[in-house]
Amino acid sequence: MALPRGLASSLCLSVFLFSFTFLFWGTSAEGNPNYRDALAKSILFFQGQRSGRLPGGQEMSWRFTSGLSDGSFANVDLSGGYYDAGDNVKFNFPMAFTTTMLSWSTLEYGRKMGPEIGNARAAIRWATDYLLKCATATPGRLYVGVGDPNTDHKCWERPEDMDTARSVYWVSSSSPGSDVAGETAAALAAASMVFRKADPKYARLLLSTAKKVMQFAMQYRGAYSDSLGSAVCPFYCSYSGYKDELLWGATWLLRATHDVSYFNFIQSLGANEATDLFSWDNKYAGARVLLSRNALVDNDKAFERFRQQAEDFICHILPNSPSSSTQYTQGGLMYKLGASNLQYVTSITFLLTTYGKYMSASRHTFNCESLYVDYILGENPLKMSYMVGYGAYYPKRIHHRGSSIPSVATHPQSFGCEGGFQPFFYTANPNPNVLTGAVVGGPNQNDGYPDDRADYSHSEPATYINAAIVGPLAYFAGSHTN
């Protein structure tokens, strides 16, 4: 592998390049996952998470319309969007990150998606239509969630049966939320580029709204966790603070507009915190990889420090690096945190794949076979696919209300708040509805997976897990003949 121009000859970077070669070069020794099938299912999953009035072309046929009165507590229409995971709450912070990652996946790998590009755009638009409502329904407010998470989590019922309070939450100049606003701006800006050719009018609306939301994020500084308290914590607290979202939002607006004022803002932030994570909460690494594109692809020296920061992040990820801070299971899976570990695996894999793409575009040899994606799809000690509906052996008892309770199609009567616990949550039987394409939280640090509905930290799927794997799957689907 040739060294990129201008790379420092540090030991860390040498190990980084060697590790890329070792981990990702060549063909997987075991099996040949059907990446194109996995890609289609990873996007189909989002239909199972839809809130609002479902369209006639809904393929996930066990789901039905829900949440049509969302927003009524504030006299606005906030129907639509996605339920974040196995519950019936709409948390905008992870939903916006999901949207940004789906958009980034489509921007980088859309040409490799084949017929799935239309489905990817539809998945993005389902979110952005909702986020636009949240940003424009009431002047001076950004709505950031619907549904009381504390009461919702006491229930086990289908979204179609919801009878809990659909409380509405927002941030404003007096109750700021720079983190959720910065992420919302990032989502709208990234999506605007996805629709630039497919729907120019919609793209312009997305971008103009993104600019206004980003201005709000920059002008009224504060963490939304401080403003909203138990409505978002401990569920989606902004643990990393809001500086990373300001960096992330400005980075996406810089890419969408090429307006130098966003670059100047990024420079003024001084967001130099080291990290070895990338997630719905911590965006530093993602912003640095995206900014490094300017250094690698455009050869713009003004972005060199971001390239170095991106490579420092990668040196914290790859094994055998002297600065690695990442554990791996014996089966070879990156292991960051015990709860929903695959969210970090999919997000970080996206960054590794995309940084490699930028290296390749700058005329430096790079080829990537993802050991982590193959692990998720079944190349692991249990030979289990952690994507529901993919392969012969996959999780059957996922922590997901709609999947675990019989569909309205087969049981029209409502079950009520606690009606789903005894017959469906506590049973050892498989879920009656297959949430095709859902990637669950994943195995434990010993590569074990009990397939237990109650073990939500391992068995619960989430939109932000799936959103991050779409890009790598598209890359591999476009690079292989299955």
Side-chain angles (χ1 to χ4, degrees):
M1 181 183 297
L3 281 172
R5 284 190 302 271
L7 286 183
S9 56
S10 66
L11 175 61
C12 177
L13 187 55
S14 298
V15 173
F16 148 62
L17 290 170
F18 171 77
S19 298
F20 256 39
T21 304
F22 176 75
L23 279 176
F24 300 124
W25 197 286
T27 304
S28 175
E30 297 179 339
N32 182 26
N34 188 331
Y35 297 115
R36 192 159 295 286
D37 182 44
L39 170 64
K41 288 174 176 173
S42 71
I43 298 172
L44 177 61
F45 154 78
F46 289 95
Q47 291 192 12
Q49 299 301 114
R50 283 173 168 171
S51 183
R53 187 174 301 282
L54 301 191
Q58 172 85 6
E59 292 182 60
M60 199 80 76
S61 58
W62 51 268
R63 278 298 323 283
F64 288 83
T65 292
S66 63
L68 291 184
S69 64
D70 281 0
S72 60
F73 278 18
N75 297 312
V76 292
D77 173 18
L78 297 180
S79 60
Y82 290 115
Y83 304 116
D84 73 295
D87 53 32
N88 298 326
V89 183
K90 295 192 303 203
F91 292 100
N92 285 29
F93 195 28
M95 193 197 307
F97 175 72
T98 294
T99 310
T100 309
M101 292 307 297
L102 277 174
S103 298
W104 196 3
S105 298
T106 305
L107 291 170
E108 298 289 353
Y109 305 106
R111 292 181 179 179
K112 294 181 180 289
M113 286 183 176
E116 292 304 317
I117 185 66
N119 292 327
R121 289 195 191 110
I124 294 166
R125 190 159 188 157
W126 195 268
T128 52
D129 282 352
Y130 166 78
L131 294 176
L132 284 170
K133 292 179 183 180
C134 292
T136 61
T138 304
R141 285 185 184 178
L142 174 66
Y143 292 99
V144 299
V146 182
D148 182 340
N150 296 286
T151 56
D152 179 88
H153 285 111
K154 295 176 182 177
C155 299
W156 196 261
E157 60 184 339
R158 302 174 297 199
E160 294 85 358
D161 294 340
M162 285 187 295
D163 52 8
T164 55
R166 299 299 286 171
S167 304
V168 178
Y169 304 99
W170 64 84
V171 293
S172 64
S173 59
S174 58
S175 301
S178 298
D179 31 33
V180 67
E183 182 59 75
T184 302
L188 296 173
S192 75
M193 290 183 280
V194 171
F195 291 100
R196 191 167 282 170
K197 291 184 179 179
D199 190 338
K201 182 179 178 181
Y202 189 63
R204 288 192 295 271
L205 175 61
L206 290 169
L207 186 56
S208 63
T209 308
K211 291 176 182 177
K212 294 174 185 175
V213 175
M214 190 64 208
Q215 181 59 40
F216 169 83
M218 295 188 294
Q219 185 171 351
Y220 304 106
R221 305 284 180 95
Y224 93 135
S225 305
D226 296 336
S227 296
L228 295 174
S230 63
V232 297
C233 290
F235 313 102
Y236 292 103
C237 289
S238 185
Y239 297 103
S240 67
Y242 60 80
K243 189 186 292 184
D244 56 315
E245 277 81 29
L246 290 178
L247 172 66
W248 181 240
T251 297
W252 276 107
L253 276 159
L254 175 64
R255 180 163 177 187
T257 66
H258 303 290
D259 184 338
V260 70
S261 68
Y262 291 112
F263 181 71
N264 294 337
F265 176 74
I266 289 168
Q267 295 283 65
S268 72
L269 268 177
N272 298 315
E273 289 84 344
T275 183
D276 62 357
L277 283 177
F278 178 49
S279 69
W280 58 262
D281 177 49
N282 192 320
K283 319 293 167 49
Y284 286 114
R288 289 160 184 167
V289 167
L290 185 58
L291 288 166
S292 71
R293 180 180 185 271
N294 296 73
L296 288 167
V297 179
D298 301 331
N299 198 28
D300 188 334
K301 299 302 181 185
F303 291 84
E304 276 296 301
R305 77 177 178 95
F306 303 111
R307 179 192 58 75
Q308 186 57 58
Q309 288 174 334
E311 287 162 4
D312 288 344
F313 163 74
I314 293 168
C315 284
H316 279 89
I317 299 302
L318 295 175
N320 304 316
S321 163
S323 59
S324 178
S325 56
T326 303
Q327 293 181 315
Y328 289 81
T329 68
Q330 283 204 321
L333 181 68
M334 184 192 310
Y335 198 82
K336 281 293 181 183
L337 292 173
S340 192
N341 178 60
L342 286 189
Q343 68 172 297
Y344 307 107
V345 176
T346 59
S347 295
I348 291 172
T349 297
F350 180 96
L351 295 187
L352 295 177
T353 306
T354 302
Y355 192 82
K357 180 185 178 222
Y358 296 161
M359 287 176 65
S360 178
S362 55
R363 298 181 181 179
H364 303 293
T365 305
F366 185 86
N367 195 8
C368 181
E369 287 288 343
S370 178
L371 180 64
Y372 310 133
V373 170
D374 289 1
Y375 185 108
I376 293 170
L377 297 181
E379 298 295 337
N380 56 61
L382 294 181
K383 302 302 179 189
M384 169 182 257
S385 161
Y386 291 103
M387 177 182 282
V388 174
Y390 176 87
Y393 182 38
Y394 55 82
K396 301 293 201 304
R397 300 164 188 84
I398 66 172
H399 183 95
H400 189 277
R401 289 158 174 76
S403 172
S404 68
I405 301 174
S407 168
V408 172
T410 58
H411 194 287
Q413 296 79 18
S414 173
F415 285 102
C417 171
E418 299 181 3
F421 277 112
Q422 196 54 51
F424 307 115
F425 180 82
Y426 293 113
T427 182
N429 294 333
N431 288 5
N433 308 309
V434 179
L435 186 59
T436 303
V439 179
V440 296
N444 59 33
Q445 63 190 63
N446 299 313
D447 297 293
Y449 184 79
D451 199 10
D452 179 0
R453 194 176 293 110
D455 183 12
Y456 66 88
S457 66
H458 297 105
S459 65
E460 187 171 20
T463 56
Y464 41 88
I465 304 178
N466 267 69
I469 202 174
V470 167
L473 287 173
Y475 174 84
F476 300 129
S479 305
H480 291 76
T481 302
N482 292 309

